[in-house]
Amino acid sequence: MARTDHSFPAGSGSPAAAPAALRGRGAVTNVRHRFQRDDRVQVDDGWSASGLPADFVDSVPDSISDISSSAVAGVAVEQTAGAAARATVIPILPDTRSAPPAPKTTVTAEEARKILSRNDSPDIPFDVAANPYRGCEHGCVYCYARPTHSYLGYSPGLDFETRLVAKANAVEALRAELARPGYKPSPINIGSATDAYQPIERDWRLTRGMLELALETRHPVTIVTKNALVARDLDLLAALAQQNLVVVYISITTLDAGMARTLEPRAAAPWRRLEAVRSLTDAGVPVGVLVAPVIPFINDESMEHILQEAKAAGAHYASYTVLRLPWEVKTLFEDWLNAHYPDRAQRVLHRIEDLRNGRRNDPNFGSRMRGTGIWADLLRQRFAVATRKLGLNRTRLSLDCSRFVPPAGPGASASLFDGAASGEVVGAGNAVSSVNAATDFQSPVDAKASSGVPFPGGLPAVSGAYGRGARQLRAMAAGQLSLFD
């Protein structure tokens, strides 16, 4: 393994100069995004409410009188000293200028031309994804989706958490794409970039509308979230689960509520996410837990505890990823470290470099999710031992694509729950697609070290649309696993 040079500090700033943390927000400032051509910096000019610089008012009198210009030098000095004692000093008044108001969350509606996005990455187990929102109010400082806000001209910092965009026609756009001739069903991941159950979902209900459409068309879906709001849609998820059409992964980064308030300030508390796991499991919905991301010296010691609590709550699957710092997230995360953990900021950054071949971020397929080197191998071994002892990942879940039926026409309306228990398809005359009759949604299996230790039980079965299977096999053979293994 190449040795990382730590002779120079990993951080570009000092903890003393770090911006102050904001209550209820993950980012501490708005960073300049990579497409921005100008840079604006707020500077305090130092003038107090009296109109004079604070350092000047106390030390220098405002006026000196009774000094004779014709006096000799000695007398002038005495008169000057006496006049200084009698001079009127302008007091420093309290600064009544109010601090900048806390940033408020605003939501802008947009009409999306399409809602489905496709990928051919070997690192993730789905080909198709849908994101009803841009930006995320959860405010997770480590979020890899923050740089996407730059495409809107917004900062990946506070703007990502406060200037949100809702795709108001998300359900209609999804219906149109599912009804296209020749559409081939493949499990749709809801919330691959920004969380589909972030707080504004309570009012917009776009995710629920997409689940209703999935149940109507019998289309398989997968969900990744860190909000207990997912339990609100238990009726839809249970009906989908009866037909083997859904799996839910809940991300739990830490069990420490205090740490969670700084890492992901507006996400559900850890105990509420565990309650959501229990509620979904009791309703028959397959649930997995993601320990993501693992941050060295911040939450890495919690991996086994999170898995243990998740198993006790009823989870059947588990996976993990290592912290990723693409684009502007590097600066945001460093500012966050200096604001909340200045005592260990440099240690954290250096260990990240150890995991990323001496860099802060590794964008390469096959290594970006789990890292490389001895520390990455140690995490893999810990995860493998914990999941084996707890009995997680003993089965692999395959979602059923054979039930899909194109959406009904504008004049037709079918009950969402008709035939849900029996598995019958609503809508006579609709041809049922037999493509990808049982697409494997990758659930975690035993880990493989980057040093080349083979899988104990062989490579997991991989299949899916658009040739993803071959790419995943190549990535796994190279010693890396996908997001969910």
Side-chain angles (χ1 to χ4, degrees), residues 259 296-298 301 337 341-349:
M259 181 180 294
F297 303 119
I298 300 294
E301 76 283 356
L337 273 178
Y341 297 96
D343 57 327
R344 67 187 83 169
Q346 297 304 315
R347 292 180 62 203
V348 173
L349 295 173

Side-chain angles (χ1 to χ4, degrees), residues 125 127 185-187 397-401 435-441 463-465 468:
D127 300 296
S186 180
L397 181 65
S398 296
L399 298 183
D400 189 1
C401 292
V435 180
N436 299 330
T439 300
D440 286 340
F441 182 82
S463 62
R468 172 171 52 87

Side-chain angles (χ1 to χ4, degrees), residues 283-296:
V285 180
V287 182
V289 169
L290 300 178
V291 185
V294 176
I295 307 174

Side-chain angles (χ1 to χ4, degrees), residues 121-162:
S121 169
D123 291 304
I124 52 181
F126 52 84
D127 300 296
V128 188
N131 293 280
Y133 304 106
R134 299 179 189 267
C136 184
E137 196 176 2
H138 283 163
C140 305
V141 69
Y142 51 74
C143 183
Y144 59 83
R146 282 182 176 271
T148 62
H149 235 44
S150 300
Y151 297 118
L152 304 178
Y154 298 154
S155 169
L158 288 173
D159 285 352
F160 180 80
E161 311 170 29
T162 59

Side-chain angles (χ1 to χ4, degrees), residues 379-430:
L379 289 175
R380 289 187 181 92
Q381 295 170 23
R382 288 174 54 192
F383 179 79
V385 171
T387 53
R388 184 173 62 253
K389 287 184 177 180
L390 295 172
L392 294 167
N393 305 332
R394 288 186 175 177
T395 60
R396 183 178 302 115
L397 181 65
S398 296
L399 298 183
D400 189 1
C401 292
S402 65
R403 299 175 181 269
F404 173 72
V405 59
S413 61
S415 173
L416 293 176
F417 300 97
D418 290 345
S422 61
E424 296 178 357
V425 175
V426 179
N430 290 322

